């Protein structure tokens, strides 16, 4: 009974576990140095889990299936235009009182698709190859567009395109392209290993659940340590909720016109929220980085609901 519950509600359990784990660790009678070492361990473990999860997921995707689709172009264009519009507003009105809220919204818009999108798409019975292709495209697009426009939205001394581009590429490449290249190497050079990996059914999904717990723990830490007013924090939460609902709905609408309704929603709505937090801290402000934490909650609530509906449909069949 307990195992069935955990299997059916993996994502909510993972989110709750991550939040409680951080709050418990915060109350432990440990020195600041010990807590910093714990945080350092989490920061090492999380990308390692994501790397393995992506490797397993990419092993199940044929390189021939990673071809561009028309709906990819519409989603890329929409995200790019909305991000550029937000940057233009912040450039023209640098002293606006809504700066933090607008920054949070634009981070939620331009953030690339989550590396776990293919895993969830597969779990929902969709075509994971199309979402994998979009994940690669949007990450490369963000690596070009973000360093080009962020200096206008939030000027920093010495922040120019090339150093910002290199910083983002160093963040994106190891956790996206290396697992993909390794998966192709295994597919063509180690067929036995490849067949063994293909035999694992939900390994990537459960690895992602563990990574999600760690992400939520980091998110709760960022929210606990923020010094911004409750009003601003609530406004950022509202802005990211609007961004989440819009992107899932718009992605499904565009994808549906080409026969990829669920895939379009996942590709545009499921975000790499750790990247949002990192992008906010690195190029904008610690407060706007909390957008990643709120978006992590919203898009995982949507995913949990979709997985629940999928189970209900399977039981009816």
């Amino acid at each position: 009974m307990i195992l069935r519950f955990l299997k059916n509600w993996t994502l909510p359990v993972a989110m709750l576990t991550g939040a409680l784990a951080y709050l418990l660790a915060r109350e432990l009678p440990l020195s600041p140095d010990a807590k910093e070492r714990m945080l350092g361990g989490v920061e090492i473990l999380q990308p390692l889990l994501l790397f393995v999860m992506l490797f397993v997921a990419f092993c199940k995707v044929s390189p021939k299936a990673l071809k561009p689709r028309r709906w990819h172009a519409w989603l890329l264009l929409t995200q790019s235009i909305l991000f550029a519009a937000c940057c233009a507003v912040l450039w023209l009105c640098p002293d606006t009182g809504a700066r933090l809220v607008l920054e949070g919204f634009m981070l939620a818009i331009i953030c690339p698709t989550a590396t776990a999108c293919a895993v969830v798409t597969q779990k929902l019975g969709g075509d994971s190859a199309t979402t994998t292709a979009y994940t690669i495209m949007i990450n490369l697009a963000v690596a070009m567009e973000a360093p080009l426009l962020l200096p206008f939205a939030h000027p920093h001394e010495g922040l120019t395109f090339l150093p910002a581009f290199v910083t983002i590429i160093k963040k994106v490449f190891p956790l996206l392209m290396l697992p993909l290249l390794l998966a192709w190497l295994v597919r063509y050079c180690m067929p036995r290993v490849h067949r063994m990996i293909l035999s694992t059914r939900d390994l990537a999904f459960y690895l992602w659940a563990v990574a999600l717990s760690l992400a939520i723990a980091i998110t709760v830490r960022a929210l606990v340590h923020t010094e911004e007013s409750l009003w601003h924090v609530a406004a950022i939460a509202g802005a990211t909720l609007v961004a989440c609902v819009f992107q899932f709905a718009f992605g499904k609408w565009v994808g549906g016109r080409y026969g990829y309704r669920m895939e379009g929603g996942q590709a545009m709505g499921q975000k790499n929220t750790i990247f949002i937090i990192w992008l906010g801290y690195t190029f904008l402000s610690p407060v706007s980085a909390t957008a990643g934490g709120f978006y992590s909650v919203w898009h995982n609530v949507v995913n949990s609901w979709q997985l629940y509906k999928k189970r209900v449909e399977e039981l009816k069949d």
Side-chain angles (χ1 to χ4, degrees), residues 26-243:
R26 187 167 178 261
E27 298 303 320
L28 292 176
L30 299 174
S31 66
D33 287 342
K35 291 184 177 181
E36 283 298 319
R37 285 195 294 271
M38 288 177 63
L39 178 62
V42 169
E43 291 175 346
I44 293 173
L45 180 59
Q46 188 181 41
L48 181 62
L49 282 169
L50 290 173
F51 186 97
V52 176
M53 176 203 70
L54 276 178
F55 168 70
V56 173
F58 288 159
C59 278
K60 300 181 180 182
V61 176
S62 170
K64 296 178 181 179
L66 297 178
K67 56 183 180 181
R69 311 273 181 175
R70 286 189 178 181
W71 61 270
H72 290 160
W74 286 112
L75 298 193
L76 281 169
L77 185 63
T78 302
Q79 286 186 248
S80 297
I81 290 175
L82 286 174
F83 177 67
C86 290
C87 288
V89 171
L90 290 173
W91 179 53
L92 294 171
C93 308
D95 299 321
T96 175
R99 166 172 283 276
L100 292 176
V101 178
L102 194 55
E103 284 183 354
F105 178 80
M106 79 177 189
L107 285 175
I109 290 293
I110 196 55
C111 180
T113 305
T115 49
C117 182
V119 177
V120 179
T121 300
Q122 194 173 60
K123 192 75 174 174
L124 290 169
D127 184 355
S128 60
T130 60
T131 54
T132 299
Y134 187 76
T135 301
I136 295 170
M137 285 186 278
I138 188 61
N139 271 275
L140 295 176
V142 170
M144 294 296 296
E145 188 173 10
L148 186 65
L149 296 179
L150 282 176
F152 293 97
H154 199 103
H156 284 284
E157 186 176 350
L159 179 62
T160 56
F161 173 78
L162 188 57
F165 172 76
V166 171
T167 301
I168 293 176
I169 282 292
K170 285 168 63 177
K171 187 76 174 178
V172 167
F173 185 81
L175 277 182
L176 181 68
M177 300 308 296
L178 286 184
L180 182 65
L181 296 175
L182 182 60
W184 289 351
L185 178 67
V186 170
R187 172 183 286 269
Y188 294 114
C189 300
M190 292 177 273
R192 285 189 178 181
V193 176
H194 185 250
R195 284 195 296 270
M196 183 181 68
I197 294 171
L198 291 181
S199 67
T200 61
R201 185 178 178 184
D202 291 326
L203 176 60
F205 180 74
Y206 293 120
L207 285 172
W208 177 55
V210 177
L212 174 60
S213 292
L214 298 178
I216 291 295
I218 294 174
T219 292
V220 173
R221 179 179 181 272
L223 293 175
V224 167
H225 285 82
T226 183
E227 297 179 356
E228 195 57 41
S229 69
L230 182 61
W231 161 248
H232 274 134
V233 172
I236 292 173
T240 54
L241 177 59
V242 170

Side-chain angles (χ1 to χ4, degrees), residues 225-277:
H225 285 82
T226 183
E227 297 179 356
E228 195 57 41
S229 69
L230 182 61
W231 161 248
H232 274 134
V233 172
I236 292 173
T240 54
L241 177 59
V242 170
C244 182
V245 172
F246 165 74
Q247 290 183 104
F248 269 105
F250 185 81
K252 286 185 176 184
W253 179 71
V254 172
R257 296 175 67 87
Y258 297 93
Y260 291 93
R261 185 175 184 276
M262 184 271 289
E263 291 86 348
Q266 291 302 123
M268 194 170 186
Q270 188 175 348
K271 299 290 189 178
N272 184 350
T273 53
I274 294 299
F275 188 85
I276 298 180
I277 295 172

